[in-house]
Amino acid sequence: MGETVVVAGASGYAGALAARILHRHPHFELAAVTARSDVGVRLDELYPHHRVPLVLEELDLDRHADVDAAIVGYPHAASAPVVAELRRRGVRVVDLSADFRLRDRATYEQWYGEHKAPELFGTGVYGLPERYRAQIADADLVAGPGCFPTAAILGLAPLGGDGLVADVVIDAKSGVSGAGRGANQKTHFVSVDENVAAYKIEGHRHAPEIDQELRAAGAPVTCTFTPHLLPLDQGELLSCYVTTTRRVSQSELEERYAAAYAGEPFIELTDASPGVFDVRETNLCRIKLHSEPRTGKVHVFAAIDNLWKGTSSQAVQSLNLMFCRPETEGIGPTALTPAGVTA
Amino acid sequence: MGETVVVAGASGYAGALAARILHRHPHFELAAVTARSDVGVRLDELYPHHRVPLVLEELDLDRHADVDAAIVGYPHAASAPVVAELRRRGVRVVDLSADFRLRDRATYEQWYGEHKAPELFGTGVYGLPERYRAQIADADLVAGPGCFPTAAILGLAPLGGDGLVADVVIDAKSGVSGAGRGANQKTHFVSVDENVAAYKIEGHRHAPEIDQELRAAGAPVTCTFTPHLLPLDQGELLSCYVTTTRRVSQSELEERYAAAYAGEPFIELTDASPGVFDVRETNLCRIKLHSEPRTGKVHVFAAIDNLWKGTSSQAVQSLNLMFCRPETEGIGPTALTPAGVTA
Amino acid sequence: MGETVVVAGASGYAGALAARILHRHPHFELAAVTARSDVGVRLDELYPHHRVPLVLEELDLDRHADVDAAIVGYPHAASAPVVAELRRRGVRVVDLSADFRLRDRATYEQWYGEHKAPELFGTGVYGLPERYRAQIADADLVAGPGCFPTAAILGLAPLGGDGLVADVVIDAKSGVSGAGRGANQKTHFVSVDENVAAYKIEGHRHAPEIDQELRAAGAPVTCTFTPHLLPLDQGELLSCYVTTTRRVSQSELEERYAAAYAGEPFIELTDASPGVFDVRETNLCRIKLHSEPRTGKVHVFAAIDNLWKGTSSQAVQSLNLMFCRPETEGIGPTALTPAGVTA
Amino acid sequence: MGETVVVAGASGYAGALAARILHRHPHFELAAVTARSDVGVRLDELYPHHRVPLVLEELDLDRHADVDAAIVGYPHAASAPVVAELRRRGVRVVDLSADFRLRDRATYEQWYGEHKAPELFGTGVYGLPERYRAQIADADLVAGPGCFPTAAILGLAPLGGDGLVADVVIDAKSGVSGAGRGANQKTHFVSVDENVAAYKIEGHRHAPEIDQELRAAGAPVTCTFTPHLLPLDQGELLSCYVTTTRRVSQSELEERYAAAYAGEPFIELTDASPGVFDVRETNLCRIKLHSEPRTGKVHVFAAIDNLWKGTSSQAVQSLNLMFCRPETEGIGPTALTPAGVTA
């Protein structure tokens, strides 16, 4: 067995899925699952389909920090102090919250409020392996990207770099699991079914995160970003409409992306329009490019599973890198292996 | 009883709904329902929920043209000759196809091929009552707008008129009924369920129709328009991202639309994000405006029921105008009246 | 304007729909909508599609009991005391809870606990007009049936009466709105989507209610009743498998039901398999009969909309009877009239 | 690499999934995928999520019969001659059609018509490993069970054996993939969405198959069996209501099943009500037992994925047995391994 990992915050969708992946990972050992609610409940009672037969425990740092690594699935702000304590004890962390994603303090505070571990602010490596592979390998603290930024950056970064991008409009469509496990009127079946609407029309906090990473990719824009809630559980499609400073032909587009993503195990460039079902329960991002002759704009469609590549399997992808494992280990071998057997 | 109306092409979703509305219309008399398939079948066998107990007949112009008006629910190209013959016999027509919507012949031919009733090309009045009320009242041939253009024009027309609009990106989300009753892999439940994808990425023929009507509204742009197929049956949401030539404040926006739509019975301006469920089975268009401070763009969200306001109830709205009936008669009285009783 | 009606408990699905129907009823006047939560909110903010522009108020009996009638949409047990007070003030009541449906006190207490208005226990008329039309017309207190019992009794009562029924198995399939507006893990979209499971396997309190009414219909059995939750919002299908004491042929079956339901405005006997979509947003119950040659059993499939015929429109059907209105008034005229106009 | 396998009829849902599983199987080699339609198309164009990069070929027995085994995914009747030819050439076959499931010729002909390979009729081993493990290991021709019979027999067989079962009512709920890839009005999204209805009310051909296997399990009954179509893609829930000849207590029930299924890798006995989502994309059958005190009946709820345990992964389970592989190999190791990587 390899390094031990604890998943803190495993009662939520993201933490539970991380636990499932680690529980079956060929290398890592899932040491414990902790939660702030549902303590004492076996995880496979909450999530039968994940088939993780561990009991949720309260986080006890004296006991649970005796591991090599942790994936922390706490909400924003609640995460920072736990991460800080885990780091003090030498545990390498992949944090799924927004607490260590942003590099500008004022921007963080504007969208999330006061930071609860200011000494660590800005020290996380942005956990998008396709962009920061080397840094992640060396990192002790990885900030798992937001699900929307994951698809946005993977979809748009290859356009950056030479003043090409003038304006970006991102229309995002998300399944309901993106809203988390919290039960409220917005996630009630009757509210979502047979419906679609934009949400957070006044501003979504993933917008500055997308801006930050587009800028880092050489595309310094203030993006338009509006998410919509759809009647499906998992999956996220980003439709990006890019105004460029010069015409980019279809073939140039395709060559540019082929070059940028050569050898990437989790990027699929496709001729067909990508649907979220195509990437369901995978760590893949599936991308379609279109150069629109009527307007000269570049259209990019990027589909991911918000819980997998958008969150939990991507966290394990980082963990693989951090511990010198094959990047695809446990999250997409050569197989779409089928599932579940009783122990 | 008032004028008699035949619905030709009543076995499809649009025609069947038109038949339902007319069958219960306080004024018009539904004289017959005709179809090219399913002849001899009672309409309430195909569509129990519409509860129209008439038998589908083959269209017999000698018999069926003996009416005051017709709603024609044929596919593009198939419609034109039937409409022409009905017009020759003096029947006033609301045509649901694209055959009489466009005013530029070359554009029509580019997207739809040769026109099958060239003598009538360009003679139809565009059947969007909120834009062409007076002309519809006088018209003998009304071209029912496409469902996407209906929402697009209602959502964007008030921005036209003084050089304000510089660029328009429309991201459309549609339920499956918009694809029609034809059964194929794209409309198979298993293809649509838990999925979302853009379609007609290379170009959708509603784009030039939107351009035409935005130009008529004083916004001469080449719009970006991309539709997406969603796992729901009825409903259409258009998310419009408008670049303006100057900043438009939220209050200016709201005043502009309030003025444009004062007294309109079927336009709802709302503070909440409009969902397609909010307008399901109504002739309403529900619109939310947002002036985005980060980018200066104007966002417009417009929701309709693609089969109702997007097609069939809007056709009856035109019919009401053509025969001097109250515009809301039979399609949204003072009531959300409940439904069906066995005769 | 006719009699005034208050809807108490109008923030829930059932009460809100009752308010919608009464707000547009040709005769009754919706005097007020009250609620225990969301007071001060306009009902059309909670339920835009109902388009009832009234503000939810706290129930104030001094003010709100100054009406002719009330529909009470409170939960079980909470309802009884309010109903009692309304009755004391002379208000005629249709209660949507279970508090006045059962006639056996011990059975009530076993399933619902102590009754909170014992003086009224057993005084309600069971509000299923197809069974108790005359009694409802004279009643001051009508107990609206449970949604499952509504479909079960309408589907099975015609088999009662001459010792025909030996055993009844009812497998019920329900949309999520039947679980009410409360947001919890069971009604979370992600829990319901792509899923189906039986619930209350250990016993559902509608079972004794069905038994009571089947007995009253001459079929004294202890039924098997198991409900299942389906990924749809409104609608309820009951599949009933009846063991009879002698073979009943298909034609005898059909004649029996045709006779039993002759002239009933809200019963549809159909040859096709009834789907819940066929009766969506109607006060109809659609029934298919099958005499199974392999086993000799009688199969009855009955579909209703759980919120309409199963609850709110049926309550208005009773109200119509209580105030000598046409039974179908406001809940199924000769029309499937389309919907909503801004005031 | 181990034995080579061809999947014939790989353009349908069942064949395509079998191809996916075999393509990633640790032992077997997927030699070819053949189809009667879509020849020349790469399978991952039809089914991107399966990620099988093989091109569909026409079946050429001279070439394709040069394998060790075949999974045949043809429709009933079309399958028999192909299976016969494969057998003549010494290929061991798992057939997914109904052509070799039934043991009574008259029954087969009544439900499916004339048999197209009468010399082989009755020679297939019924491919339910939990019932016929030893025989499957020795078989050259395995008849993959129907999806409904799979769940029915797994759910009910442990009740057989000592005259316990007097009557069985099975109410089945199925996702749309059970209806196959054929696009028609019944599988159109708009027909299924927000709907549920029974189908094949007059009789479903899985009923005699269930009877045959229940009889073999010691429960000689003529079952009541009615399937219902639900708005979900994969998954099947059977609710079984069993009349027994004596009372069976909850503990006796549970002990009986625990004994019957001790050591079975793919059977989950659960306390919670099994949902189809719990077994989605697995080879598992999840079963809940309930002894109902009101009626004395035994209720059994059994959930499977109709495409996996109900068809394709179960076929590979048989293939594993036939070639002396570990029974769980490739279809549910110790892992719920995540998916898909570009080659």
Side-chain angles (χ1 to χ4, degrees):
Chain A
M1 262 303 177
E3 287 84 5
T4 53
V5 188
V6 68
V7 174
S11 63
Y13 291 154
L17 176 57
R20 159 182 165 173
I21 295 171
L22 289 170
H23 181 57
R24 289 170 174 83
H25 195 281
H27 178 77
F28 296 116
E29 182 187 355
L30 178 60
V33 288
T34 79
R36 304 186 302 171
S37 65
D38 297 298
V39 169
V41 177
R42 251 175 61 161
L43 196 52
D44 56 6
E45 288 178 54
L46 294 187
Y47 301 98
H49 65 294
H50 285 337
R51 293 190 165 76
V52 176
L54 302 187
V55 173
L56 288 165
E57 308 170 49
E58 265 190 274
L59 179 64
D60 173 346
L61 282 168
D62 288 336
R63 204 151 42 89
H64 292 132
D66 184 23
V67 289
D68 298 300
I71 292 182
V72 178
Y74 279 35
H76 313 306
S79 194
V82 173
V83 170
E85 185 58 28
L86 287 164
R87 286 299 309 122
R88 263 192 290 282
R89 293 167 186 246
V91 180
R92 298 176 80 185
V93 173
V94 180
D95 177 45
L96 304 180
S97 85
D99 285 355
F100 301 100
R101 292 175 194 159
L102 294 175
R103 295 187 196 120
D104 182 74
R105 186 76 165 270
T107 303
Y108 180 90
E109 287 172 352
Q110 178 191 343
W111 292 91
Y112 298 97
E114 192 195 351
H115 197 273
K116 297 300 175 41
E119 71 283 7
L120 287 183
F121 186 87
T123 67
V125 170
Y126 194 73
L128 193 60
E130 288 77 6
R131 298 284 304 155
Y132 298 100
R133 188 164 276 123
Q135 296 94 314
I136 290 168
D138 289 338
D140 290 325
L141 172 52
V142 168
C147 54
F148 291 122
T150 292
I153 306 311
L154 292 176
L156 295 172
L159 290 176
D162 48 6
L164 191 59
V165 176
D167 189 43
V168 169
V169 170
I170 303 172
D171 185 286
K173 291 108 186 139
S174 175
V176 184
S177 60
R181 192 179 168 228
N184 53 51
Q185 287 309 313
K186 290 191 191 312
T187 59
H188 195 297
F189 185 88
V190 172
S191 305
V192 178
D193 186 48
E194 289 306 303
N195 207 356
V196 55
Y199 64 96
K200 299 229 172 116
I201 286 178
E202 316 294 329
H204 189 286
R205 47 202 186 184
H206 281 179
E209 186 182 334
I210 295 170
D211 285 354
Q212 166 183 294
E213 294 301 318
L214 284 184
R215 199 177 312 118
V221 294
T222 300
C223 71
T224 295
F225 172 71
T226 303
H228 299 73
L229 190 65
L230 266 61
L232 50 93
D233 62 357
Q234 282 168 242
E236 207 170 275
L237 177 70
L238 265 61
S239 307
C240 310
Y241 307 97
V242 183
T243 306
T244 49
T245 50
R246 61 169 175 81
R247 286 253 170 183
V248 185
S249 71
Q250 185 70 22
S251 61
E252 182 187 342
L253 252 189
E254 293 180 0
E255 283 158 24
R256 203 173 174 113
Y257 277 69
Y261 289 135
E264 284 294 347
F266 293 114
I267 304 290
E268 279 187 351
L269 302 176
T270 173
D271 281 338
S273 178
V276 299
F277 189 81
D278 304 340
V279 295
R280 188 182 172 93
E281 310 233 313
T282 78
N283 195 53
L284 296 166
C285 179
R286 190 168 164 94
I287 296 173
K288 160 71 181 172
L289 306 165
H290 173 63
S291 170
E292 171 58 42
R294 294 175 82 243
T295 61
K297 285 198 171 66
V298 166
H299 299 183
V300 182
F301 302 90
I304 61 170
D305 186 314
N306 55 304
L307 290 181
W308 288 70
K309 181 61 175 169
T311 311
S312 302
S313 61
Q314 180 157 262
V316 176
Q317 188 182 357
S318 283
L319 217 56
N320 283 337
L321 291 168
M322 291 163 75
F323 290 93
C324 304
R325 304 303 309 166
E327 188 169 338
T328 62
E329 196 176 49
I331 51 169
T334 54
L336 278 169
T337 315
V341 166
T342 45
Chain B
M1 264 300 178
E3 288 83 5
T4 52
V5 188
V6 68
V7 175
S11 63
Y13 290 156
L17 177 57
R20 161 180 164 173
I21 295 171
L22 289 170
H23 181 57
R24 289 172 174 80
H25 195 283
H27 178 76
F28 295 116
E29 182 187 356
L30 178 60
V33 287
T34 79
R36 303 186 302 170
S37 66
D38 297 299
V39 169
V41 178
R42 250 176 62 163
L43 197 52
D44 56 6
E45 287 177 55
L46 294 187
Y47 300 98
H49 65 293
H50 285 336
R51 293 189 167 74
V52 176
L54 302 188
V55 173
L56 287 165
E57 308 170 49
E58 264 190 275
L59 179 63
D60 173 347
L61 282 168
D62 288 334
R63 203 153 41 91
H64 292 132
D66 184 25
V67 290
D68 298 299
I71 292 183
V72 178
Y74 278 33
H76 313 307
S79 196
V82 173
V83 169
E85 184 59 28
L86 287 165
R87 287 300 307 124
R88 263 193 291 281
R89 294 167 185 246
V91 180
R92 298 176 81 183
V93 173
V94 180
D95 177 44
L96 304 181
S97 84
D99 284 354
F100 301 98
R101 293 174 194 160
L102 294 175
R103 292 184 201 124
D104 182 74
R105 186 80 165 269
T107 303
Y108 179 90
E109 287 172 353
Q110 178 190 346
W111 293 89
Y112 298 96
E114 192 197 351
H115 197 274
K116 298 300 176 40
E119 71 283 9
L120 287 183
F121 187 85
T123 67
V125 170
Y126 195 73
L128 194 61
E130 288 77 7
R131 299 280 307 152
Y132 297 100
R133 188 163 277 121
Q135 295 94 312
I136 291 168
D138 289 340
D140 290 323
L141 172 51
V142 167
C147 55
F148 290 123
T150 293
I153 306 312
L154 291 176
L156 295 172
L159 290 176
D162 47 7
L164 191 59
V165 176
D167 189 44
V168 169
V169 170
I170 303 172
D171 185 286
K173 292 110 186 138
S174 174
V176 184
S177 60
R181 192 181 168 229
N184 52 51
Q185 287 308 313
K186 291 192 190 311
T187 59
H188 194 297
F189 184 87
V190 171
S191 305
V192 178
D193 187 47
E194 290 306 305
N195 207 356
V196 56
Y199 64 96
K200 300 225 170 121
I201 287 178
E202 316 295 329
H204 190 287
R205 49 201 186 186
H206 281 179
E209 185 181 334
I210 295 170
D211 285 354
Q212 166 184 295
E213 293 302 317
L214 283 184
R215 198 176 314 117
V221 294
T222 300
C223 71
T224 296
F225 170 72
T226 304
H228 298 73
L229 189 66
L230 266 62
L232 50 92
D233 62 356
Q234 282 168 241
E236 204 169 277
L237 177 69
L238 265 60
S239 307
C240 309
Y241 307 97
V242 183
T243 306
T244 50
T245 50
R246 62 170 176 80
R247 288 253 170 184
V248 185
S249 71
Q250 185 70 25
S251 61
E252 183 188 340
L253 253 188
E254 294 181 358
E255 283 158 22
R256 203 171 173 111
Y257 277 68
Y261 288 135
E264 283 296 344
F266 293 114
I267 305 289
E268 279 188 350
L269 302 175
T270 171
D271 282 338
S273 178
V276 299
F277 189 81
D278 303 341
V279 294
R280 187 183 172 91
E281 310 234 311
T282 77
N283 194 52
L284 295 166
C285 179
R286 190 166 164 95
I287 297 172
K288 160 70 181 173
L289 305 164
H290 173 63
S291 169
E292 172 57 42
R294 294 175 83 243
T295 61
K297 285 199 171 64
V298 166
H299 300 183
V300 182
F301 303 91
I304 61 170
D305 186 313
N306 54 303
L307 290 182
W308 289 70
K309 180 62 173 168
T311 311
S312 302
S313 62
Q314 180 157 264
V316 176
Q317 188 182 356
S318 283
L319 218 56
N320 283 337
L321 291 168
M322 290 163 77
F323 290 93
C324 304
R325 305 303 309 166
E327 187 170 339
T328 62
E329 194 175 51
I331 51 169
T334 53
L336 278 169
T337 314
V341 167
T342 44
Chain C
M1 264 303 179
E3 287 85 4
T4 53
V5 189
V6 67
V7 174
S11 62
Y13 290 155
L17 177 57
R20 160 181 164 174
I21 295 171
L22 289 169
H23 181 58
R24 289 171 173 80
H25 195 281
H27 177 79
F28 296 117
E29 182 185 357
L30 178 60
V33 288
T34 80
R36 302 185 304 170
S37 65
D38 297 299
V39 169
V41 177
R42 251 174 63 160
L43 196 52
D44 55 7
E45 288 178 54
L46 294 186
Y47 300 98
H49 65 293
H50 285 336
R51 293 191 165 74
V52 176
L54 301 187
V55 172
L56 287 165
E57 308 169 49
E58 266 189 272
L59 179 63
D60 174 346
L61 282 167
D62 288 335
R63 205 151 43 88
H64 291 133
D66 184 24
V67 290
D68 299 298
I71 291 182
V72 178
Y74 277 35
H76 315 307
S79 194
V82 172
V83 169
E85 184 59 28
L86 286 165
R87 287 299 308 124
R88 263 193 291 283
R89 293 168 187 244
V91 180
R92 298 175 80 184
V93 174
V94 180
D95 178 44
L96 304 181
S97 85
D99 284 354
F100 301 99
R101 293 175 192 160
L102 294 175
R103 294 185 198 123
D104 182 73
R105 186 76 165 271
T107 303
Y108 180 90
E109 287 172 353
Q110 178 191 346
W111 292 89
Y112 298 96
E114 190 196 355
H115 197 275
K116 298 299 175 39
E119 72 283 8
L120 287 183
F121 187 87
T123 66
V125 171
Y126 194 73
L128 193 61
E130 288 77 7
R131 298 282 306 152
Y132 298 101
R133 188 164 275 122
Q135 297 93 315
I136 291 169
D138 288 339
D140 290 324
L141 172 53
V142 167
C147 54
F148 291 122
T150 293
I153 306 312
L154 292 177
L156 295 171
L159 290 176
D162 47 7
L164 190 60
V165 175
D167 188 43
V168 170
V169 170
I170 303 173
D171 184 285
K173 292 112 185 135
S174 174
V176 184
S177 61
R181 191 180 168 229
N184 53 50
Q185 287 308 314
K186 288 189 193 313
T187 60
H188 194 299
F189 184 88
V190 171
S191 305
V192 178
D193 186 48
E194 290 307 304
N195 208 357
V196 55
Y199 63 97
K200 300 223 171 121
I201 287 177
E202 316 294 330
H204 189 287
R205 48 202 187 186
H206 282 178
E209 185 181 334
I210 295 170
D211 284 355
Q212 165 184 294
E213 294 302 319
L214 284 184
R215 199 178 312 118
V221 295
T222 300
C223 71
T224 296
F225 171 72
T226 304
H228 298 73
L229 190 65
L230 265 61
L232 50 92
D233 63 358
Q234 281 167 242
E236 208 169 272
L237 177 70
L238 265 61
S239 307
C240 309
Y241 306 97
V242 183
T243 306
T244 50
T245 50
R246 61 170 175 81
R247 287 255 170 182
V248 185
S249 70
Q250 186 70 23
S251 61
E252 182 187 342
L253 252 189
E254 293 181 359
E255 283 159 22
R256 204 172 172 113
Y257 277 68
Y261 288 136
E264 283 295 346
F266 293 113
I267 305 289
E268 278 187 351
L269 302 176
T270 171
D271 282 336
S273 178
V276 298
F277 190 81
D278 303 341
V279 294
R280 189 184 171 91
E281 311 233 314
T282 77
N283 194 53
L284 296 166
C285 179
R286 189 167 167 97
I287 295 172
K288 160 72 182 171
L289 306 164
H290 173 64
S291 169
E292 171 57 42
R294 294 174 83 242
T295 61
K297 286 198 170 65
V298 166
H299 300 184
V300 181
F301 303 91
I304 62 169
D305 186 314
N306 55 304
L307 291 181
W308 288 71
K309 180 62 175 169
T311 311
S312 303
S313 61
Q314 180 157 263
V316 176
Q317 187 182 358
S318 282
L319 217 57
N320 283 336
L321 291 168
M322 291 163 76
F323 290 94
C324 305
R325 306 302 310 167
E327 189 170 338
T328 63
E329 196 176 49
I331 51 168
T334 53
L336 278 168
T337 313
V341 167
T342 45
Chain D
M1 260 304 176
E3 287 82 7
T4 51
V5 189
V6 68
V7 174
S11 63
Y13 291 156
L17 177 57
R20 159 181 166 174
I21 295 171
L22 289 170
H23 181 57
R24 289 172 173 79
H25 195 282
H27 177 77
F28 296 116
E29 182 187 355
L30 178 60
V33 288
T34 79
R36 303 186 303 170
S37 65
D38 296 299
V39 169
V41 177
R42 252 176 60 163
L43 197 52
D44 56 6
E45 287 177 55
L46 293 187
Y47 301 98
H49 65 293
H50 285 337
R51 292 190 168 74
V52 176
L54 301 187
V55 173
L56 288 166
E57 308 169 49
E58 265 189 273
L59 179 63
D60 173 346
L61 282 168
D62 289 334
R63 205 153 38 90
H64 292 133
D66 182 24
V67 290
D68 299 299
I71 293 183
V72 178
Y74 278 33
H76 313 307
S79 195
V82 173
V83 169
E85 184 59 28
L86 287 165
R87 286 300 307 123
R88 263 193 290 282
R89 293 168 185 244
V91 181
R92 300 176 79 185
V93 174
V94 180
D95 177 44
L96 305 181
S97 84
D99 284 353
F100 302 98
R101 293 175 193 158
L102 294 175
R103 295 187 198 123
D104 182 74
R105 185 80 164 268
T107 304
Y108 179 90
E109 288 171 353
Q110 177 189 347
W111 293 90
Y112 298 96
E114 191 197 352
H115 197 273
K116 298 298 176 41
E119 72 282 9
L120 288 182
F121 187 85
T123 67
V125 171
Y126 195 73
L128 193 62
E130 288 78 7
R131 299 283 304 153
Y132 299 99
R133 187 164 278 124
Q135 296 95 312
I136 291 169
D138 289 338
D140 290 323
L141 172 52
V142 168
C147 55
F148 291 123
T150 292
I153 306 311
L154 292 176
L156 295 172
L159 290 175
D162 49 4
L164 191 60
V165 175
D167 188 44
V168 169
V169 170
I170 303 173
D171 184 286
K173 293 112 185 134
S174 174
V176 184
S177 60
R181 192 180 168 228
N184 52 50
Q185 287 308 313
K186 289 192 192 311
T187 59
H188 194 299
F189 184 88
V190 171
S191 304
V192 178
D193 186 49
E194 291 305 306
N195 207 356
V196 56
Y199 65 96
K200 300 227 170 118
I201 287 178
E202 315 294 330
H204 189 286
R205 48 201 186 185
H206 282 179
E209 186 182 334
I210 295 171
D211 284 355
Q212 166 184 294
E213 294 302 317
L214 284 184
R215 199 176 314 118
V221 295
T222 299
C223 71
T224 295
F225 170 73
T226 304
H228 298 73
L229 190 66
L230 266 61
L232 49 93
D233 61 357
Q234 282 167 242
E236 206 169 276
L237 177 70
L238 265 61
S239 306
C240 310
Y241 307 97
V242 183
T243 306
T244 50
T245 50
R246 61 170 175 80
R247 286 253 170 185
V248 186
S249 71
Q250 184 70 24
S251 61
E252 183 187 341
L253 252 189
E254 294 180 359
E255 284 158 22
R256 202 173 174 110
Y257 277 67
Y261 289 135
E264 284 295 346
F266 293 114
I267 305 290
E268 279 187 352
L269 301 175
T270 172
D271 282 339
S273 178
V276 298
F277 189 82
D278 303 342
V279 294
R280 187 184 173 92
E281 310 233 312
T282 78
N283 194 53
L284 296 166
C285 178
R286 192 168 163 95
I287 296 172
K288 160 71 181 172
L289 306 163
H290 173 64
S291 169
E292 171 58 40
R294 295 174 82 241
T295 61
K297 285 199 171 64
V298 166
H299 300 183
V300 182
F301 302 91
I304 61 169
D305 186 314
N306 54 304
L307 290 182
W308 288 71
K309 181 61 173 169
T311 310
S312 302
S313 61
Q314 179 157 265
V316 177
Q317 187 182 357
S318 283
L319 216 56
N320 283 337
L321 291 167
M322 291 163 76
F323 290 93
C324 304
R325 305 304 308 166
E327 188 169 339
T328 63
E329 195 176 50
I331 52 169
T334 54
L336 277 168
T337 315
V341 166
T342 45

